Amino acid sequence: YSARTIANDGDEFGNNVGARVTFTAASEEQAIDIVGDPTGLAVGDKVRFGAHIKTKLQSGARPKQVSINLLPTQDGTLYQLAVSAMGANYSASNPVLELPYDTDEVLMTPWFTVTGSLTAILGRVWLVSIGAGVVDVEIGRPTMEVIKA
């Protein structure tokens, strides 16, 4: 993919981040990371990621899944929380289908409670293909929300 600037969409939060993703086959995955700063997070704090995610089909097939994950590294272990997702999951037993529309959604991860030493944290926007296609992805207002203990 190639990064580019997306014009301000009329809100007060500045320009969004965007990329053009080209899939060549089914079940390809593309991840776009939103890196957070664990500085100041302590045991008992709760944290989650969210973003306004837009996809626009340019050619071919839309993705079968658009989701956002939360990946904290705590006490040397990388965790991956359940995703807030639209579309079919990865399993081969699920029907093969593409999203029927371009997405324009705010997605939020589940809350993660800090219980140890947090050395890294990031949100990850995932797209999974159903087949060949070109999709523009726009990530607006990515945020890391924190509730202090």
Side-chain angles (χ1 to χ4, degrees), residues 44-103:
D45 292 349
K46 296 181 182 350
V47 60
R48 72 176 178 173
F49 268 91
H52 185 185
I53 301 172
K54 298 178 186 178
T55 60
K56 181 165 179 51
L57 180 66
Q58 296 301 318
S59 65
R62 288 183 178 87
K64 70 177 180 179
Q65 180 178 334
V66 176
S67 60
I68 187 167
N69 294 30
L70 176 63
L71 294 107
T73 301
Q74 180 177 267
D75 295 331
T77 301
L78 175 64
Y79 294 90
Q80 178 170 306
L81 272 69
V83 300
S84 174
M86 296 173 293
N89 204 346
Y90 295 79
S91 172
S93 63
N94 284 325
V96 178
L97 51 90
E98 69 180 281
L99 289 170
Y101 56 87
D102 292 330
T103 65

Coordinates of all heavy atoms in Angstrom, one line a residue, residues 44-103:
G44 N -4.3 -1.5 37.1 CA -5.7 -1.1 37.4 C -6.3 -0.2 36.4 O -7.5 -0.1 36.3
D45 N -5.5 0.5 35.6 CA -6.0 1.3 34.5 C -6.6 0.5 33.4 O -6.3 -0.7 33.2 CB -4.8 2.1 33.8 CG -4.3 3.2 34.8 OD1 -4.8 3.4 35.8 OD2 -3.2 3.7 34.4
K46 N -7.6 1.0 32.7 CA -8.3 0.4 31.6 C -8.0 1.2 30.4 O -8.0 2.4 30.4 CB -9.8 0.2 31.9 CG -10.1 -0.6 33.0 CD -11.6 -0.7 33.2 CE -12.0 -1.6 34.4 NZ -11.1 -2.3 35.1
V47 N -7.8 0.5 29.2 CA -7.4 1.2 28.0 C -8.1 0.5 26.8 O -8.3 -0.8 26.8 CB -5.9 1.2 27.8 CG1 -5.3 -0.2 27.8 CG2 -5.4 2.0 26.7
R48 N -8.4 1.2 25.8 CA -8.9 0.7 24.5 C -8.6 1.6 23.4 O -8.2 2.8 23.6 CB -10.4 0.4 24.6 CG -11.3 1.7 24.6 CD -12.7 1.3 24.5 NE -13.6 2.5 24.5 CZ -14.9 2.5 24.4 NH1 -15.5 1.4 24.2 NH2 -15.6 3.6 24.4
F49 N -8.6 1.1 22.2 CA -8.4 1.8 21.0 C -9.7 2.0 20.2 O -10.5 1.1 20.2 CB -7.3 1.2 20.0 CG -5.9 1.6 20.3 CD1 -5.1 1.0 21.2 CD2 -5.4 2.7 19.6 CE1 -3.8 1.4 21.4 CE2 -4.1 3.1 19.8 CZ -3.3 2.5 20.8
G50 N -9.8 3.0 19.4 CA -10.9 3.2 18.5 C -10.5 4.1 17.4 O -9.5 4.8 17.4
A51 N -11.3 4.1 16.3 CA -11.1 4.9 15.1 C -12.3 4.9 14.2 O -13.1 4.0 14.3 CB -9.9 4.5 14.3
H52 N -12.5 6.0 13.5 CA -13.5 6.1 12.5 C -12.9 5.5 11.2 O -11.9 6.0 10.7 CB -13.9 7.5 12.2 CG -15.0 7.7 11.3 ND1 -15.5 8.9 10.9 CD2 -15.8 6.8 10.6 CE1 -16.5 8.8 10.0 NE2 -16.7 7.5 9.9
I53 N -13.4 4.3 10.8 CA -12.8 3.6 9.6 C -13.7 3.6 8.4 O -14.8 3.2 8.5 CB -12.5 2.2 10.1 CG1 -11.5 2.2 11.3 CG2 -11.9 1.4 8.9 CD1 -11.3 0.8 11.9
K54 N -13.1 4.2 7.4 CA -13.9 4.2 6.1 C -13.1 3.4 5.1 O -11.9 3.4 5.0 CB -14.0 5.7 5.6 CG -14.7 6.6 6.5 CD -14.7 8.0 5.8 CE -15.3 9.0 6.8 NZ -15.3 10.4 6.1
T55 N -13.9 2.6 4.3 CA -13.3 1.9 3.1 C -14.1 2.3 1.9 O -15.3 2.5 2.0 CB -13.3 0.4 3.3 OG1 -14.6 -0.1 3.5 CG2 -12.5 0.0 4.5
K56 N -13.4 2.4 0.8 CA -14.1 2.7 -0.5 C -13.5 1.8 -1.6 O -12.3 1.9 -1.9 CB -13.9 4.2 -0.8 CG -14.6 4.6 -2.1 CD -14.8 6.0 -2.3 CE -15.5 6.4 -3.6 NZ -16.7 5.8 -3.9
L57 N -14.3 1.0 -2.2 CA -13.9 0.1 -3.2 C -13.6 0.9 -4.5 O -14.3 1.8 -4.9 CB -15.0 -0.9 -3.6 CG -14.7 -1.9 -4.7 CD1 -13.6 -2.8 -4.2 CD2 -16.0 -2.6 -5.1
Q58 N -12.4 0.7 -5.0 CA -12.0 1.3 -6.3 C -12.1 0.3 -7.5 O -12.5 0.8 -8.5 CB -10.5 1.8 -6.2 CG -10.3 2.8 -5.1 CD -11.1 4.1 -5.4 OE1 -11.2 4.5 -6.5 NE2 -11.7 4.6 -4.3
S59 N -11.9 -1.0 -7.2 CA -12.1 -2.0 -8.3 C -12.0 -3.3 -7.7 O -11.5 -3.5 -6.6 CB -11.0 -1.9 -9.4 OG -9.7 -2.2 -8.8
G60 N -12.6 -4.3 -8.3 CA -12.6 -5.7 -7.8 C -13.6 -5.9 -6.7 O -14.7 -5.4 -6.8
A61 N -13.2 -6.7 -5.7 CA -14.1 -7.1 -4.6 C -13.8 -6.3 -3.3 O -12.6 -6.0 -3.1 CB -13.9 -8.6 -4.3
R62 N -14.8 -6.0 -2.6 CA -14.6 -5.4 -1.2 C -14.0 -6.4 -0.3 O -14.1 -7.6 -0.5 CB -16.0 -5.0 -0.7 CG -16.5 -3.7 -1.3 CD -17.8 -3.3 -0.7 NE -18.4 -2.1 -1.3 CZ -19.1 -2.1 -2.4 NH1 -19.5 -3.2 -2.9 NH2 -19.6 -1.0 -2.9
P63 N -13.5 -6.0 0.8 CA -13.0 -7.0 1.8 C -14.1 -7.8 2.4 O -15.3 -7.4 2.4 CB -12.4 -6.1 2.9 CG -12.2 -4.7 2.3 CD -13.2 -4.6 1.2
K64 N -13.8 -9.0 3.0 CA -14.8 -9.7 3.7 C -14.8 -9.4 5.1 O -15.7 -9.7 5.9 CB -14.6 -11.2 3.5 CG -13.3 -11.8 4.2 CD -13.3 -13.3 4.0 CE -12.1 -14.0 4.6 NZ -12.1 -15.4 4.4
Q65 N -13.7 -8.7 5.6 CA -13.7 -8.3 7.0 C -12.9 -7.0 7.2 O -11.9 -6.8 6.6 CB -13.0 -9.4 7.9 CG -12.9 -9.0 9.4 CD -12.3 -10.1 10.2 OE1 -12.4 -11.2 9.9 NE2 -11.8 -9.7 11.3
V66 N -13.5 -6.1 8.0 CA -12.8 -4.9 8.5 C -12.9 -4.9 10.0 O -14.0 -5.0 10.5 CB -13.5 -3.6 7.9 CG1 -12.8 -2.4 8.4 CG2 -13.4 -3.6 6.4
S67 N -11.8 -4.8 10.7 CA -11.8 -4.9 12.1 C -10.7 -4.1 12.8 O -9.8 -3.6 12.1 CB -11.7 -6.3 12.6 OG -10.5 -6.9 12.2
I68 N -10.8 -3.9 14.1 CA -9.7 -3.3 14.8 C -9.4 -4.1 16.1 O -10.3 -4.6 16.7 CB -10.1 -1.8 15.2 CG1 -8.9 -1.1 15.8 CG2 -11.3 -1.8 16.1 CD1 -9.1 0.4 16.0
N69 N -8.1 -4.3 16.3 CA -7.7 -5.2 17.4 C -6.9 -4.3 18.4 O -6.4 -3.2 18.1 CB -6.6 -6.2 16.9 CG -7.2 -7.2 16.0 OD1 -8.2 -7.0 15.3 ND2 -6.7 -8.4 16.0
L70 N -6.8 -4.8 19.6 CA -6.0 -4.2 20.7 C -4.9 -5.1 21.0 O -5.1 -6.3 21.3 CB -6.8 -3.8 21.9 CG -6.0 -3.3 23.1 CD1 -5.4 -1.9 22.7 CD2 -7.0 -3.1 24.3
L71 N -3.6 -4.7 20.9 CA -2.5 -5.6 21.1 C -1.5 -5.0 22.1 O -0.6 -4.3 21.8 CB -1.7 -5.9 19.8 CG -2.5 -6.6 18.8 CD1 -3.0 -5.7 17.6 CD2 -1.7 -7.8 18.2
P72 N -1.8 -5.3 23.4 CA -0.8 -4.8 24.5 C 0.3 -5.8 24.7 O 0.0 -7.0 24.6 CB -1.7 -4.6 25.7 CG -2.8 -5.6 25.5 CD -3.0 -5.8 24.0
T73 N 1.5 -5.4 25.1 CA 2.5 -6.3 25.5 C 2.7 -6.0 27.0 O 3.1 -4.9 27.4 CB 3.8 -6.0 24.8 OG1 3.6 -6.2 23.4 CG2 4.9 -6.9 25.3
Q74 N 2.3 -7.0 27.8 CA 2.4 -6.9 29.3 C 3.2 -8.1 29.8 O 2.9 -9.2 29.5 CB 0.9 -7.0 29.8 CG 0.8 -6.8 31.3 CD -0.6 -6.8 31.7 OE1 -1.2 -5.7 31.9 NE2 -1.2 -8.0 31.9
D75 N 4.1 -7.7 30.7 CA 5.0 -8.7 31.3 C 5.6 -9.6 30.3 O 5.8 -10.8 30.5 CB 4.2 -9.5 32.4 CG 3.8 -8.7 33.6 OD1 4.4 -7.7 33.9 OD2 2.7 -9.0 34.1
G76 N 6.0 -9.0 29.1 CA 6.7 -9.8 28.1 C 5.8 -10.6 27.2 O 6.3 -11.3 26.3
T77 N 4.5 -10.6 27.4 CA 3.5 -11.4 26.6 C 2.7 -10.4 25.8 O 2.2 -9.5 26.3 CB 2.6 -12.2 27.5 OG1 3.4 -13.1 28.3 CG2 1.6 -13.0 26.7
L78 N 2.6 -10.8 24.5 CA 1.8 -10.0 23.5 C 0.4 -10.6 23.6 O 0.2 -11.8 23.3 CB 2.3 -10.1 22.1 CG 1.5 -9.4 21.0 CD1 1.4 -7.9 21.3 CD2 2.1 -9.7 19.7
Y79 N -0.6 -9.8 23.9 CA -2.0 -10.2 24.0 C -2.7 -9.6 22.7 O -2.4 -8.6 22.2 CB -2.7 -9.7 25.2 CG -2.2 -10.2 26.5 CD1 -1.1 -9.6 27.2 CD2 -2.7 -11.4 27.0 CE1 -0.6 -10.2 28.3 CE2 -2.2 -12.0 28.2 CZ -1.1 -11.3 28.8 OH -0.6 -11.9 30.0
Q80 N -3.7 -10.3 22.3 CA -4.6 -9.8 21.2 C -6.0 -10.0 21.7 O -6.5 -11.1 21.9 CB -4.4 -10.6 19.9 CG -5.3 -10.1 18.8 CD -5.0 -10.7 17.5 OE1 -3.8 -10.6 17.1 NE2 -5.9 -11.3 16.8
L81 N -6.7 -8.9 22.0 CA -8.0 -8.9 22.5 C -9.0 -9.1 21.3 O -8.7 -8.9 20.1 CB -8.4 -7.6 23.1 CG -8.1 -7.5 24.6 CD1 -6.6 -7.5 24.8 CD2 -8.7 -6.3 25.3
A82 N -10.2 -9.6 21.7 CA -11.2 -9.8 20.7 C -11.4 -8.5 19.9 O -11.3 -7.4 20.4 CB -12.5 -10.2 21.4
V83 N -11.8 -8.7 18.6 CA -12.0 -7.6 17.7 C -13.4 -7.1 17.7 O -14.3 -7.8 17.9 CB -11.5 -7.9 16.3 CG1 -10.1 -8.3 16.3 CG2 -12.3 -9.0 15.7
S84 N -13.5 -5.8 17.4 CA -14.8 -5.2 17.0 C -14.8 -5.2 15.5 O -14.0 -4.5 14.9 CB -15.0 -3.8 17.5 OG -16.1 -3.2 17.1
A85 N -15.6 -6.1 14.9 CA -15.5 -6.4 13.4 C -16.8 -6.3 12.7 O -17.8 -6.5 13.2 CB -14.8 -7.7 13.3
M86 N -16.6 -6.1 11.4 CA -17.7 -6.2 10.4 C -17.3 -7.2 9.4 O -16.1 -7.3 9.0 CB -18.0 -4.9 9.7 CG -18.4 -3.8 10.6 SD -18.5 -2.2 9.8 CE -16.8 -1.9 9.4
G87 N -18.2 -8.1 9.1 CA -17.9 -9.1 8.0 C -17.6 -10.5 8.6 O -17.8 -10.8 9.8
A88 N -17.2 -11.4 7.7 CA -17.0 -12.8 8.0 C -15.7 -13.0 8.8 O -14.7 -12.2 8.5 CB -17.0 -13.7 6.8
N89 N -15.6 -13.9 9.6 CA -14.4 -14.2 10.3 C -13.4 -15.1 9.5 O -13.8 -15.4 8.4 CB -14.7 -15.0 11.7 CG -13.7 -14.8 12.7 OD1 -12.5 -14.4 12.4 ND2 -14.0 -15.2 13.9
Y90 N -12.3 -15.4 10.0 CA -11.2 -16.1 9.2 C -11.6 -17.5 8.9 O -11.1 -18.1 8.0 CB -9.9 -16.1 10.0 CG -9.3 -14.7 10.2 CD1 -9.8 -13.9 11.2 CD2 -8.3 -14.3 9.5 CE1 -9.2 -12.7 11.4 CE2 -7.7 -13.1 9.7 CZ -8.2 -12.3 10.7 OH -7.6 -11.0 10.9
S91 N -12.4 -18.2 9.7 CA -12.6 -19.6 9.6 C -13.1 -20.1 8.3 O -13.9 -19.5 7.6 CB -13.7 -20.0 10.7 OG -14.0 -21.4 10.5
A92 N -12.5 -21.2 7.8 CA -12.8 -21.7 6.5 C -14.3 -22.3 6.5 O -14.9 -22.4 5.4 CB -11.9 -22.9 6.1
S93 N -14.8 -22.5 7.7 CA -16.2 -23.0 7.7 C -17.3 -21.9 7.5 O -18.4 -22.2 7.3 CB -16.5 -23.7 9.0 OG -16.3 -22.8 10.1
N94 N -16.8 -20.7 7.6 CA -17.8 -19.6 7.3 C -18.0 -19.4 5.8 O -17.2 -19.7 5.0 CB -17.2 -18.2 7.9 CG -17.4 -18.2 9.4 OD1 -18.3 -18.7 9.9 ND2 -16.4 -17.6 10.0
P95 N -19.2 -18.9 5.4 CA -19.4 -18.7 4.0 C -18.5 -17.7 3.4 O -18.0 -16.8 4.1 CB -20.9 -18.2 4.0 CG -21.1 -17.7 5.3 CD -20.3 -18.5 6.3
V96 N -18.2 -17.8 2.2 CA -17.4 -16.9 1.5 C -18.2 -15.7 1.0 O -19.1 -15.9 0.1 CB -16.6 -17.5 0.3 CG1 -15.8 -16.5 -0.5 CG2 -15.8 -18.7 0.8
L97 N -18.0 -14.5 1.6 CA -18.8 -13.4 1.2 C -18.0 -12.1 1.4 O -17.1 -12.1 2.2 CB -20.1 -13.3 2.0 CG -20.0 -13.4 3.6 CD1 -19.8 -12.1 4.2 CD2 -21.2 -14.2 4.1
E98 N -18.4 -11.1 0.6 CA -17.8 -9.8 0.8 C -18.7 -8.9 1.5 O -19.9 -9.1 1.4 CB -17.3 -9.2 -0.6 CG -18.4 -8.8 -1.5 CD -17.9 -8.3 -2.8 OE1 -17.5 -7.1 -2.8 OE2 -17.9 -9.0 -3.8
L99 N -18.2 -7.8 2.1 CA -19.0 -6.8 2.7 C -19.9 -6.2 1.6 O -19.4 -5.9 0.5 CB -18.2 -5.7 3.4 CG -17.5 -6.1 4.7 CD1 -16.6 -5.1 5.1 CD2 -18.6 -6.4 5.7
P100 N -21.2 -6.0 1.8 CA -22.0 -5.5 0.7 C -22.0 -4.0 0.5 O -22.6 -3.5 -0.4 CB -23.4 -5.9 1.2 CG -23.3 -5.9 2.7 CD -21.9 -6.3 3.0
Y101 N -21.1 -3.3 1.3 CA -21.1 -1.8 1.2 C -19.7 -1.3 1.6 O -19.0 -2.0 2.2 CB -22.2 -1.2 2.0 CG -22.1 -1.6 3.5 CD1 -21.3 -0.9 4.4 CD2 -22.8 -2.7 4.0 CE1 -21.1 -1.3 5.7 CE2 -22.7 -3.1 5.3 CZ -21.9 -2.4 6.2 OH -21.7 -2.8 7.5
D102 N -19.4 -0.1 1.2 CA -18.2 0.6 1.7 C -18.5 1.0 3.2 O -19.6 1.4 3.5 CB -17.9 1.9 0.9 CG -17.5 1.5 -0.5 OD1 -16.9 0.5 -0.8 OD2 -17.8 2.4 -1.4
T103 N -17.5 0.7 4.0 CA -17.7 1.0 5.5 C -17.5 2.5 5.8 O -16.7 3.2 5.1 CB -16.7 0.2 6.3 OG1 -15.4 0.6 6.1 CG2 -16.9 -1.3 6.0

